[in-house]
């Protein structure tokens, strides 16, 4: 695959990657950096495969399929790096958290990333397992915890 | 009646996993068949869907400004050109690759 073709493949994903990164780290610059770091980690791991891969960009189906595969691949590294970085930046980021999303950012990073992948990026549980490299029971447990805590918060606000 | 309640409870517990896509294929078919034969059950699914919509609204949906989009794409392009090596197929391809490398230094 030519480099320009690879760029053409991932360019439409920029916004989605950034949006996901921001659900982990609520800071514009840090989220942008996380996207770049996730992409670099993906490229370092997959550069040989990408170089050898042939793609026909005129085939819509093939393009969509490969784009989704690459999307999940980059998300995997953003998740891994982002979960760690989010813990490190926790104190620093506290002031940056948008007020409306405070309950979401109070969740632990791994719960946040599973919730974001499921409810924002609309991935299935199987796809999330693959992206976050967690066993199915753990993904389901984190989804359950996240849902419970957020709805609890919502009910608390409603009763005030 | 007891049997009906037991059945109801069982399928009620499956609403969220169904909406989450975490049920197996067999369980999904079984669930959908149950909903078809119990139309009143759809209200409960609707309530859960509303609940999930509320959850979605609690997750930030950040957007890139035009300037940030350009800047991040420039960095992404540079990463790609720095990390992926292309095998040249002939003289013109070698020149093209060298030219692209130079542009993305």
């Amino acid at each position: 695959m030519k480099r320009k073709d690879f760029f053409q493949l991932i360019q439409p994903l920029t916004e989605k990657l950034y949006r996901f990164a921001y659900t982990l780290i609520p800071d514009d610059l840090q989220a942008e950096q996380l996207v770049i770091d996730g992409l670099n980690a993906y490229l370092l791991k997959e550069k040989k495969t990408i170089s050898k891969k042939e793609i026909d960009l005129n085939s819509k189906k093939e393009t969509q399929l490969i784009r989704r595969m690459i999307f999940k691949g980059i998300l995997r590294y953003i998740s891994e790096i982002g979960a760690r970085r989010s813990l490190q930046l926790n104190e620093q980021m506290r002031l940056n958290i948008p007020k409306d999303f405070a309950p979401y950012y109070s969740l632990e990073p791994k719960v946040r990333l599973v919730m974001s992948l499921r409810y924002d990026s609309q991935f299935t549980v199987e796809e999330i397992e693959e992206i976050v490299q967690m066993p199915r029971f753990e993904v389901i447990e984190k989804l359950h915890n996240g849902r419970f805590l957020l709805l609890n918060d919502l009910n608390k606000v409603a009763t005030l | 009646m007891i049997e009906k309640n037991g059945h109801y409870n069982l399928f009620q517990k499956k609403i969220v996993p169904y909406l989450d896509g975490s049920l197996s294929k067999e369980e999904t078919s079984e669930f959908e068949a149950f909903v078809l034969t119990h139309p009143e059950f759809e209200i409960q699914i609707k309530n859960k869907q509303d609940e999930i919509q509320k959850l979605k609204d609690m997750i930030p949906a950040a957007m890139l400004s035009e300037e940030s989009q350009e800047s991040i794409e420039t960095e992404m392009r540079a990463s790609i050109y720095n990390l992926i090596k292309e095998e040249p197929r002939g003289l013109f391809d070698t020149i093209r690759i060298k030219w692209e490398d130079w542009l993305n230094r």
Side-chain angles (χ1 to χ4, degrees):
Chain A
M1 191 187 312
K2 286 181 180 164
R3 295 177 291 191
K4 75 171 175 54
D5 291 341
F6 185 79
F7 180 67
Q8 209 177 318
L9 266 177
I10 68 160
Q11 197 179 15
L13 301 173
T14 316
E15 184 92 48
K16 287 182 186 172
L17 291 170
Y18 170 77
R19 184 168 158 148
F20 176 65
Y22 194 90
T23 63
L24 288 174
I25 305 178
D27 177 87
D28 300 346
L29 288 177
Q30 291 283 356
E32 282 178 36
Q33 191 54 50
L34 182 55
V35 172
I36 300 297
D37 293 342
L39 172 66
N40 283 341
Y42 175 77
L43 289 174
L44 283 168
K45 183 90 174 84
E46 303 290 341
K47 58 184 176 186
K48 280 188 187 159
T49 321
I50 297 167
S51 298
K52 284 180 192 159
K53 184 105 192 145
E54 292 295 331
I55 180 174
D56 174 15
L57 286 174
N58 292 320
S59 159
K60 213 173 171 183
K61 203 175 170 189
E62 189 186 349
T63 306
Q64 277 177 343
L65 210 72
I66 296 181
R67 181 175 285 137
R68 190 154 176 92
M69 195 185 76
I70 296 170
F71 184 40
K72 288 197 271 185
I74 302 173
L75 285 179
R76 181 187 158 187
Y77 290 100
I78 293 182
S79 303
E80 198 180 317
I81 303 167
R84 252 182 290 137
R85 201 167 286 172
S86 170
L87 283 175
Q88 291 159 358
L89 297 170
N90 202 14
E91 281 302 309
Q92 213 178 316
M93 290 297 117
R94 198 162 283 180
L95 295 172
N96 283 16
I97 294 174
K99 205 180 157 201
D100 291 347
F101 301 107
Y104 174 77
Y105 284 108
S106 70
L107 300 174
E108 67 162 286
K110 284 191 177 176
V111 173
R112 245 169 26 223
L113 71 90
V114 167
M115 292 291 284
S116 168
L117 287 168
R118 176 67 199 122
Y119 296 116
D120 194 40
S121 307
Q122 312 273 319
F123 283 109
T124 63
V125 171
E126 284 85 359
E127 287 174 310
I128 299 173
E129 269 179 80
E130 192 190 323
I131 294 168
V132 297
Q133 305 275 298
M134 269 181 211
R136 190 185 178 87
F137 75 88
E138 212 176 316
V139 172
I140 293 173
E141 186 204 352
K142 293 207 183 309
L143 273 176
H144 177 81
N145 286 349
R147 222 169 16 226
F148 175 79
L149 292 168
L150 287 185
L151 288 174
N152 217 11
D153 199 88
L154 211 72
N155 292 335
K156 251 191 252 165
V157 174
T159 51
L160 279 180
Chain B
M1 189 67 187
I2 291 170
E3 197 191 330
K4 191 185 175 187
N5 279 343
H7 231 67
Y8 251 77
N9 288 343
L10 183 75
F11 282 101
Q12 234 166 359
K13 281 181 190 162
K14 286 186 177 177
I15 296 177
V16 174
Y18 172 74
L19 295 173
D20 269 350
S22 58
L23 289 182
S24 67
K25 273 184 189 168
E26 294 77 27
E27 283 176 313
T28 304
S29 312
E30 201 187 0
F31 183 86
E32 283 168 351
F34 181 81
V35 176
L36 278 177
T37 51
H38 296 76
E40 71 279 11
F41 206 69
E42 280 179 21
I43 299 165
Q44 298 192 45
I45 296 180
K46 174 82 177 65
N47 289 343
K48 281 288 170 199
Q49 275 172 332
D50 291 346
E51 205 174 84
I52 287 172
Q53 187 52 49
K54 283 179 193 158
L55 286 177
K56 286 181 183 173
D57 294 340
M58 293 177 90
I59 301 173
M63 281 168 77
L64 279 167
S65 66
E66 209 175 306
E67 201 182 315
S68 301
Q69 176 121 16
E70 264 175 45
S71 131
I72 198 170
E73 282 179 0
T74 307
E75 281 195 62
M76 283 164 79
R77 184 194 289 269
S79 291
I80 292 165
Y81 279 82
N82 285 329
L83 291 171
I84 301 180
K85 292 288 161 232
E86 268 186 53
E87 284 300 317
R89 293 171 186 168
L91 178 66
F92 287 113
D93 220 24
T94 310
I95 297 168
R96 175 186 62 81
I97 292 167
K98 294 260 185 232
W99 172 247
E100 284 178 355
D101 281 345
W102 185 80
L103 280 180
N104 288 284
R105 270 190 309 185

